[in-house]
Amino acid sequence: MVGFLGRRSGAVVAVAASAAAHLAAAYLWSRQHRAELSLAETNERYRSLFEYHPSAVFSLDLGGRFTAANPAAQRISGYTETQLRGMVFTEILESEHLDAVVAAFGRLLQREAQQFETVIRARDGTDVELLVTGLPIVVADRLVGVYGIAENITGRNRMQRELHETRLRAEEASEAKSMFLANVSHEIRTPLTALLAAAELLLDSDLDTEQVALTGTMSRSGQRLLRLVNEILDFSAIEAGKATLYDVPLDLRAIVLDVVALTRPAAEEQGLKLEAEIAPALSRPLSGDPERIAQVLTNLLSNAVKFTHEGTIHVRVEVAERTTTTTKVVVRVEDTGIGLTEEQQGRLFEAFTQGDHTVGRRYGGTGLGLAICKQLVTLMGGSIWVTATPGAGSTFAFALPLRHVDEASAPD
């Protein structure tokens, strides 16, 4: 009985051991199978990335010979993968790029990733510009080859070159235009100045009533033409980046009152009232460019007089902001003239632009005045804007930051 029990116990142990062995084998097989499936999936992922990548993907051995090339590499180079295999990469390089690419390949063999631009000669003889990213292939800490991804940048580079050439031609044309305008304007201004001087001398001589009227017309027309010439000269200088600005002590109140006094006769001739209101807080000495400030204000006032048939023109000068070093002033020119639509306001400060095509015919002018004002105000660090209603007048305003100066250096 004891022997029987012993034999039975041994059989049970043997069966258990056998079952355990089978379970272990099954576990190991399952684990190995999963590993093989994972490896197969990884290989398929890599193959998909290789095959479907839009850029040329290729690999080289340590001697620089192609070992693999994806369809994009074949399209770009014009060679099939069979033709590329065993070919040294230097065989398809343009000669002037050979040294730089060989040097980059040498650094790749030192396990340094590289990125560079180069040019290859495709099989059909055309040049293809590439942006190449090179990566070392390391297996078990051993360098076995080089992996490359090359993006075709021929079209992009061609577009950049064309844009660069177009910009250069535009700059040359703009410079030639500015030089032409400046030269012609100077040539016109010289005899025009002599003509105005002659008209002034004639007005001081003994003339009858009809001669005085004719000479006055000649003088006024000459002054108008001179203003147009000066606008063209200013615009050309600003456009060429040659506009001169000064930063000197100034009396803003005196500048505004002088411009108003010079414009008042033209306003009164049209039956308009011209008034100025200057904030008392502007008594502190400031620094800026008095001539450019006067030029901007003169232009705005001249436009207000030109486009206002009745009513009043107000010039208001206010302090918008004050810091320890600067005072920001706002100058407004308010009129009761023809006004502007929103569309007209949007393009008003563009060069050679007026309210609409009828304005130039009816009121004259080049359409440069407000464009010059905007450029000058911008150069002085300020801003300019307009608010208007058709038929109900306009308000042109500009803001300028003017630097504080010591009382000792203030103008008399």
Side-chain angles (χ1 to χ4, degrees):
M1 185 68 177
V2 173
F4 171 76
L5 291 174
R7 287 194 301 272
R8 186 175 180 182
S9 176
V12 171
V13 171
V15 170
S18 177
H22 280 88
L23 287 173
Y27 171 75
L28 291 175
W29 178 86
S30 175
R31 185 174 180 181
Q32 182 180 0
H33 183 64
R34 287 198 301 271
E36 289 174 352
L37 287 176
S38 177
L39 179 60
E41 182 180 351
T42 300
N43 287 336
E44 285 302 313
R45 288 177 181 271
Y46 170 78
R47 173 55 56 183
S48 295
L49 179 64
F50 181 82
E51 292 290 336
Y52 297 110
H53 201 293
S55 298
V57 181
F58 58 91
S59 59
L60 306 173
D61 63 17
L62 298 181
R65 290 177 290 272
F66 286 96
T67 58
N70 74 340
Q74 298 171 53
R75 287 195 303 271
I76 290 173
S77 68
Y79 294 95
T80 65
E81 186 176 24
T82 302
Q83 291 169 328
L84 285 172
R85 282 183 183 274
M87 183 187 295
V88 181
F89 71 86
T90 55
E91 295 180 40
I92 62 173
L93 278 178
E94 287 288 7
S95 56
E96 62 265 28
H97 294 268
L98 188 61
D99 292 341
V101 178
V102 168
F105 183 72
R107 290 190 290 272
L108 281 165
L109 296 182
Q110 300 298 319
R111 304 189 182 190
E112 299 177 15
Q114 300 292 307
Q115 188 171 64
F116 54 89
E117 291 188 17
T118 189
V119 180
I120 65 168
R121 175 63 59 88
R123 192 182 181 192
D124 62 2
T126 58
D127 288 343
V128 182
E129 300 175 51
L130 300 175
L131 174 62
V132 181
T133 300
L135 301 168
I137 303 175
V138 180
V139 178
D141 200 32
R142 186 169 66 90
L143 182 70
V144 297
V146 169
Y147 190 71
I149 303 174
E151 178 187 357
N152 188 347
I153 57 173
T154 307
R156 185 191 73 183
N157 285 355
R158 183 187 301 117
M159 183 179 296
Q160 289 177 345
R161 287 191 293 269
E162 290 173 355
L163 287 173
H164 179 68
E165 292 171 3
T166 301
R167 186 174 66 251
L168 287 179
R169 287 195 297 269
E171 290 173 353
E172 291 171 359
S174 178
E175 185 176 352
K177 180 199 68 178
S178 297
M179 186 176 297
F180 171 77
L181 288 175
N183 289 338
V184 170
S185 299
H186 276 297
E187 291 300 321
I188 293 174
R189 189 163 61 172
T190 300
L192 183 58
T193 303
L195 181 65
L196 289 171
E200 187 176 349
L201 291 173
L202 279 174
L203 286 171
D204 290 337
S205 62
D206 293 331
L207 300 176
D208 59 34
T209 304
E210 185 178 358
Q211 291 172 331
V212 169
L214 290 173
T215 307
T217 300
M218 182 173 65
S219 178
R220 287 191 298 273
S221 298
Q223 291 290 348
R224 180 183 174 188
L225 180 57
L226 184 60
R227 283 196 298 272
L228 297 180
V229 170
N230 287 335
E231 283 184 356
I232 294 174
L233 284 173
D234 271 338
F235 182 77
S236 299
I238 294 170
E239 196 175 46
K242 297 178 181 178
T244 304
L245 291 177
Y246 296 96
D247 187 10
V248 298
L250 57 83
D251 184 344
L252 186 60
R253 176 183 294 273
I255 292 170
V256 172
L257 293 178
D258 284 347
V259 172
V260 169
L262 289 171
T263 312
R264 182 168 279 117
E268 292 176 347
E269 187 178 343
Q270 292 188 200
L272 303 173
K273 291 180 62 179
L274 178 55
E275 300 176 350
E277 182 179 336
I278 304 173
L282 281 169
S283 58
R284 179 168 186 167
L286 301 170
S287 177
D289 191 324
E291 290 188 10
R292 295 302 190 182
I293 295 172
Q295 181 179 353
V296 173
L297 181 57
T298 299
N299 203 307
L300 297 184
L301 271 178
S302 297
N303 279 351
V305 171
K306 182 192 298 185
F307 296 112
T308 303
H309 302 139
E310 59 181 0
T312 305
I313 298 172
H314 289 277
V315 178
R316 306 184 194 277
V317 186
E318 307 162 355
V319 174
E321 183 182 352
R322 179 173 280 133
T323 68
T324 55
T325 57
T326 61
T327 292
K328 187 175 188 179
V329 299
V330 176
V331 181
R332 305 180 195 275
V333 176
E334 304 169 354
D335 65 55
T336 55
I338 61 176
L340 294 161
T341 65
E342 290 187 9
E343 182 184 358
Q344 290 170 338
Q345 295 174 47
R347 63 175 186 268
L348 199 60
F349 293 101
E350 298 174 6
F352 305 106
T353 300
Q354 293 180 318
D356 57 50
H357 66 279
T358 63
V359 171
R361 291 201 300 266
R362 182 176 180 185
Y363 296 97
T366 60
L368 287 176
L370 290 177
I372 292 172
C373 287
K374 181 178 181 179
Q375 291 171 326
L376 288 176
V377 169
T378 301
L379 286 173
M380 290 186 286
S383 57
I384 187 169
W385 65 94
V386 59
T387 56
T389 303
S394 307
T395 297
F396 285 83
F398 63 95
L400 289 177
L402 300 177
R403 191 171 54 85
H404 297 162
V405 297
D406 296 333
E407 295 284 349
S409 59
D412 294 335

